[in-house]
Amino acid sequence: MTLKQQLTEDMKNAMRAGDKHRLGVIRLMLAAIKQREVDERIELDDLQVLATLEKMLKQRRDSVSQFDAAGREDLSAIERAEMLVIETYLPAKLDEAEIDALIDAAISETGASSPRDMGKVVAAVKEKAAGRADMAAVSGKIKARLAG
């Protein structure tokens, strides 16, 4: 079963169960997926669906930080609750040791030796860690590793 099919099935189950919050978030996810399919005139595969969900999660993180800065805990709580539902559809996150191992492997594969080679290393790590690591944090680690 593809991730899109799983979302559709979970939407039906949420409707049957009367879980309005979960239903609303799943509908938001399906709408974002459908919008991307319409915009790009393609059928998204699981990897592209994961990228869409990651983007939604990043948007929620940004909103939470802005709401917290503005003292709007009520809105921040709503975004956090949505993040929890979205995260259930993403693969398990990599721990620090696994990320470090991926970075080391990517550096040796690409032969990177300076910060100028960072793009190659980021691309290699992103391919293997898609949806399982915060690429902004990984990028910072790669930069630090190549700089020193």
Side-chain angles (χ1 to χ4, degrees), residues 79-122:
E79 295 291 320
R80 280 184 171 70
E82 287 181 4
M83 286 172 61
L84 292 174
V85 175
I86 295 169
E87 286 172 344
T88 61
Y89 293 96
L90 298 174
K93 295 291 180 195
L94 297 172
D95 63 17
E96 293 298 315
E98 291 171 318
I99 291 171
D100 289 338
L102 279 175
I103 292 171
D104 291 337
I107 288 174
S108 64
E109 281 174 20
T110 59
S113 59
S114 71
R116 286 181 289 147
D117 302 321
M118 188 170 158
K120 294 181 214 170
V121 178
V122 170

Side-chain angles (χ1 to χ4, degrees), residues 42-131:
I42 58 170
E43 181 80 20
L44 297 183
D45 62 11
D46 276 354
L47 202 56
Q48 292 166 317
V49 170
L50 281 175
T52 303
L53 297 182
E54 278 286 331
K55 183 178 177 185
M56 290 180 72
L57 198 60
K58 184 181 183 309
Q59 290 169 337
R60 304 279 171 312
R61 275 193 211 106
D62 293 344
S63 295
V64 165
S65 65
Q66 290 175 3
F67 289 145
D68 286 345
R72 293 296 308 263
E73 277 302 314
D74 54 333
L75 297 174
S76 180
I78 292 170
E79 295 291 320
R80 280 184 171 70
E82 287 181 4
M83 286 172 61
L84 292 174
V85 175
I86 295 169
E87 286 172 344
T88 61
Y89 293 96
L90 298 174
K93 295 291 180 195
L94 297 172
D95 63 17
E96 293 298 315
E98 291 171 318
I99 291 171
D100 289 338
L102 279 175
I103 292 171
D104 291 337
I107 288 174
S108 64
E109 281 174 20
T110 59
S113 59
S114 71
R116 286 181 289 147
D117 302 321
M118 188 170 158
K120 294 181 214 170
V121 178
V122 170
V125 171
K126 189 174 189 175
E127 185 178 302
K128 294 176 182 142

Side-chain angles (χ1 to χ4, degrees), residues 3-12 14 19-38 44-46 48-60 79 81-91:
L3 192 51
K4 223 166 52 168
Q5 291 169 333
Q6 180 67 46
L7 280 165
T8 304
E9 197 59 37
D10 289 351
M11 180 180 68
K12 292 174 189 173
D19 187 350
K20 291 181 193 272
H21 169 70
R22 186 170 183 80
L23 176 62
V25 177
I26 292 172
R27 282 183 172 159
L28 283 173
M29 290 187 282
L30 286 170
I33 292 165
K34 188 69 173 169
Q35 183 65 51
R36 186 163 168 213
E37 286 180 338
V38 168
L44 297 183
D45 62 11
D46 276 354
Q48 292 166 317
V49 170
L50 281 175
T52 303
L53 297 182
E54 278 286 331
K55 183 178 177 185
M56 290 180 72
L57 198 60
K58 184 181 183 309
Q59 290 169 337
R60 304 279 171 312
E79 295 291 320
E82 287 181 4
M83 286 172 61
L84 292 174
V85 175
I86 295 169
E87 286 172 344
T88 61
Y89 293 96
L90 298 174

